[in-house]
């Protein structure tokens, strides 16, 4: 690999890395972005379908309270569109399928247990400072327990456990035993609660980005300059990098 000089190296061409590179380039710095994959975007990825359509296979939903990503998308000319919510909702628990519009027709004791569990998490989250969750009362103890540990002591029914597992997998993208209780409470507090994270109208799953979420990363990479290529043929070093040309006008990243 040839030698190159740069002011700043950013490791990772996901949304965070590209945003950092964009801000640094706008401030007048030469920036090199290193990425292990042969693409940009990190946890956002488009999958092409027939007819020119795109399916998101990574992060995809956005809601009106997520002002930062919506603002960035607007700067890049990426628009959003509402997701499809017509028809009935399908819930499958314990091998049984339930179709419903508002509330599933299941055992009321189990339904109450699931609701109580989610309400309890929301109530605990309100006591966690979003800017400094480690300062919350009992923070160390909560950080030493997983969400699954908490559920084993506080959730009694199959539907209640399903609700916790579905939230962990669908929203946090991990198993309940892989995330600390403190992180879950911080996440809920920062996002505005369970309903804000899981509902559609006026909430975090209201819209998707037209053209797929990865389009935001692709547009940022295009803005950063044309010098985006493989750093070498070695398999151990395969990836992409981009160096902002010296003398690029201040603010051109905007």
């Amino acid at each position: 690999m040839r030698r190159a000089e740069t002011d700043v190296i950013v490791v990772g061409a996901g949304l965070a890395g590209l945003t950092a590179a964009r801000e640094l380039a706008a401030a007048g710095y030469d920036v090199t972005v290193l990425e292990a994959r042969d693409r940009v975007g990190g946890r956002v990825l488009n999958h092409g379908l027939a007819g020119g359509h795109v399916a998101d296979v990574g992060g995809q939903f956005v809601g009106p309270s997520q002002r930062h990503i919506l603002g960035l998308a607007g700067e890049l000319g990426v628009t959003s569109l509402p997701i499809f919510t017509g028809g009935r909702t399908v819930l499958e628990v314990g091998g049984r399928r339930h179709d419903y519009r508002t509330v599933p027709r299941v055992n009321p004791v189990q339904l109450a247990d699931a609701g109580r569990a989610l309400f309890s998490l929301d109530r605990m989250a309100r006591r966690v400072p979003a800017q400094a969750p480690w300062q919350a009362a009992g923070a160390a103890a909560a950080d030493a327990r997983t969400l699954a540990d908490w559920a084993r002591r506080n959730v009694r029914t199959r539907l209640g456990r399903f609700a916790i597992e579905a939230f962990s997998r669908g929203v946090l993208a991990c198993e309940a035993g892989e995330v600390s209780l403190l992180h879950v409470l911080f996440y809920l507090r920062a996002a505005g609660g369970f309903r804000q994270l899981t509902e559609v109208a006026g909430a975090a799953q209201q819209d998707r980005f037209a053209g797929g979420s990865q389009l935001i990363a692709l547009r940022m990479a295009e803005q950063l300059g044309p010098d985006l290529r493989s750093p070498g043929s070695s398999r151990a070093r395969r990836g992409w990098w981009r160096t902002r040309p010296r003398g690029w006008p201040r603010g051109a990243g905007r």
Side-chain angles (χ1 to χ4, degrees):
M1 181 178 179
R2 67 180 178 85
R3 296 177 63 87
E5 291 186 3
T6 189
D7 295 326
V8 182
I9 294 175
V10 175
V11 180
L15 291 177
L18 290 171
T19 300
R22 187 169 179 259
E23 294 296 319
L24 288 163
Y29 293 95
D30 290 309
V31 185
T32 298
V33 181
L34 303 178
E35 169 58 52
R37 295 185 177 100
D38 61 353
R39 64 173 180 84
V40 299
R43 289 183 288 179
V44 291
L45 177 62
N46 291 351
H47 177 70
L49 301 174
H53 299 289
V54 171
D56 287 293
V57 293
Q60 57 185 295
F61 299 117
V62 65
S65 66
Q66 296 167 327
R67 298 183 299 275
H68 295 293
I69 189 66
L70 287 171
L72 176 60
E75 291 180 28
L76 297 168
V78 179
T79 60
S80 61
L81 51 91
I83 69 166
F84 176 78
T85 57
R88 300 175 68 85
T89 301
V90 178
L91 171 67
E92 184 173 330
V93 183
R96 295 190 61 185
R97 172 175 165 153
H98 307 271
D99 294 0
Y100 66 98
R101 291 193 182 276
T102 306
V103 179
R105 298 180 65 180
V106 297
N107 185 306
V109 173
Q110 295 203 39
L111 194 61
D113 183 54
R116 184 190 59 80
L118 300 176
F119 175 78
S120 295
L121 288 172
D122 259 349
R123 184 178 58 190
M124 291 189 295
R126 287 195 290 269
R127 298 195 290 266
V128 174
Q131 301 301 323
W134 56 88
Q135 294 179 359
D143 202 33
R145 303 166 63 195
T146 67
L147 177 59
D149 293 333
W150 178 86
R152 278 191 290 270
R153 294 176 61 92
N154 294 278
V155 183
R156 307 300 181 196
T157 65
R158 175 184 291 174
L159 184 61
R161 291 188 293 272
F162 173 83
I164 296 297
E165 291 167 1
F167 170 73
S168 183
R169 294 170 181 171
V171 176
L172 304 176
C174 66
E175 298 296 332
E178 298 174 336
V179 60
S180 83
L181 177 61
L182 179 63
H183 178 75
V184 173
L185 300 179
F186 154 73
Y187 199 95
L188 286 167
R189 178 61 187 273
F194 178 81
R195 288 183 179 275
Q196 181 61 36
L197 282 169
T198 59
E199 293 192 355
V200 177
Q205 299 188 59
Q206 174 178 287
D207 302 306
R208 294 174 57 198
F209 289 109
S213 297
Q214 193 186 10
L215 185 58
I216 296 173
L218 293 170
R219 291 275 173 88
M220 280 196 286
E222 289 171 3
Q223 276 194 351
L224 286 168
D227 190 14
L228 182 67
R229 57 184 183 268
S230 170
S233 59
S234 169
R235 290 185 179 182
R237 294 164 61 184
R238 184 177 300 159
W240 295 82
W241 68 290
R242 199 250 3 134
T243 305
R244 174 179 151 325
R246 220 169 257 285
W248 204 38
R250 184 182 182 89
R254 299 289 183 181

